[in-house]
Amino acid sequence: MIEIENVSKSYIKGAKIIDDLNLKIKDGEILGFIGPNGAGKTTVIKMITGILNIDEGDILIDGKSIQNEPYEAKKSIGFTPDNPDMFLNLKGIEYLNFVADIYKVGKEERIKVIKELSKKFEIEGALNEKIENYSHGMRQKIVIIGVLLHNPKNWILDEPITGLDPKAIYDLKIMMKEHAKKGNVVFFSTHILEVAENLCDRVAIINKGKILFLGTIEELKNKMKENNSLEELFMEIIKND
């Protein structure tokens, strides 16, 4: 479970990009985090993962404070950033072994997982190439494999399907469903609202640093008194904000 409690964040004094945010992502659910550009999605995700400091409030990962117990909290997190352009001078296999070392994944387990996932995402033939030579989609795949290496309970995915080919998108969506079914958390942001509508148990709509809606698609339809698609409902709720 991920609990965001009264969290605020300012980049300029007095101007809050995130304003007293409360959000609970429950075990066993896929929660989609949606909002326009600049709404605060990536800022929230970076605070959950400890990349950005929290100005006010706290975030608990399975009861562990990301501020006061960051090492313990981060053990159960798997995070894909919105930009996969990192460690470009490493070969794919070097990057995966680096991540496995950080999370103390044993030799036999890492070999098994790397073999399984690189085959699933069809990049097993590129593991000995430098990441700088990868396409954007291949870089996204290698980051995703790195995230899953230590089998984290809480998946935090920032625009995870951007740049992926249709098969990889399908495979990742199946994996997200299976992960949640095992009682784990999948929290992901996306601009592709059709994916959120078809995949998520609940959605959280954020704008100007505040949650405008949190619930199921059916609850959103009831709230708006319209039986429209998530895309249409999203546009309506943002327009009214």
Side-chain angles (χ1 to χ4, degrees), residues 56-239:
E56 300 173 33
D58 201 0
I59 296 175
L60 305 179
I61 314 294
D62 295 327
K64 306 292 184 182
S65 168
I66 195 66
Q67 297 186 101
N68 301 324
E69 304 170 273
Y71 182 75
E72 290 300 318
K74 290 177 184 180
K75 281 182 179 180
S76 66
I77 292 175
F79 168 56
T80 64
D82 59 342
N83 185 350
D85 298 336
M86 57 185 70
F87 299 100
L88 300 182
N89 288 324
L90 293 181
K91 295 178 180 179
I93 191 64
E94 291 174 336
Y95 169 73
L96 295 178
N97 278 317
F98 169 67
V99 174
D101 287 342
I102 290 174
Y103 286 99
K104 299 179 181 179
V105 180
K107 184 177 180 180
E108 289 186 8
E109 181 64 17
R110 76 175 65 179
I111 289 172
K112 175 187 172 185
V113 174
I114 291 171
K115 182 178 180 180
E116 176 186 327
L117 293 180
S118 63
K119 184 176 181 180
K120 179 183 287 289
F121 287 113
E122 299 181 331
I123 62 168
E124 66 266 40
L127 292 181
N128 284 308
E129 296 179 24
K130 283 192 173 183
I131 296 174
E132 66 182 359
N133 297 325
Y134 285 14
S135 67
H136 179 87
M138 290 172 66
R139 292 178 186 181
Q140 188 76 354
K141 290 177 181 180
I142 202 74
V143 168
I144 291 171
I145 293 171
V147 165
L148 304 183
L149 262 176
H150 68 293
N151 191 29
K153 178 177 178 290
N154 301 288
W155 291 6
I156 303 169
L157 316 175
D158 195 359
E159 299 287 347
I161 66 176
T162 301
L164 294 181
D165 57 75
K167 180 184 180 300
I169 292 173
Y170 175 81
D171 287 339
L172 181 58
K173 289 193 294 185
I174 294 298
M175 293 167 69
M176 291 164 74
K177 289 179 182 178
E178 290 176 347
H179 192 65
K181 281 183 180 178
K182 294 176 182 176
N184 302 308
V185 164
V186 178
F187 178 53
F188 80 105
S189 69
T190 182
H191 286 302
I192 305 175
L193 300 188
E194 184 180 357
V195 170
E197 183 169 12
N198 294 328
L199 187 62
C200 297
D201 299 299
R202 294 189 299 159
V203 295
I205 299 176
I206 184 174
N207 194 32
K208 301 173 186 176
K210 290 180 175 290
I211 298 293
L212 303 183
F213 174 80
L214 173 63
T216 67
I217 304 298
E218 285 303 313
E219 289 170 342
L220 180 57
K221 289 179 179 180
N222 292 335
K223 174 184 174 70
M224 303 299 290
K225 296 181 173 60
E226 296 178 24
N227 190 29
N228 294 330
S229 67
L230 175 58
E231 183 178 44
E232 293 167 319
L233 294 167
F234 171 78
M235 295 305 297
E236 186 68 21
I237 201 168
I238 291 298
K239 184 178 72 174

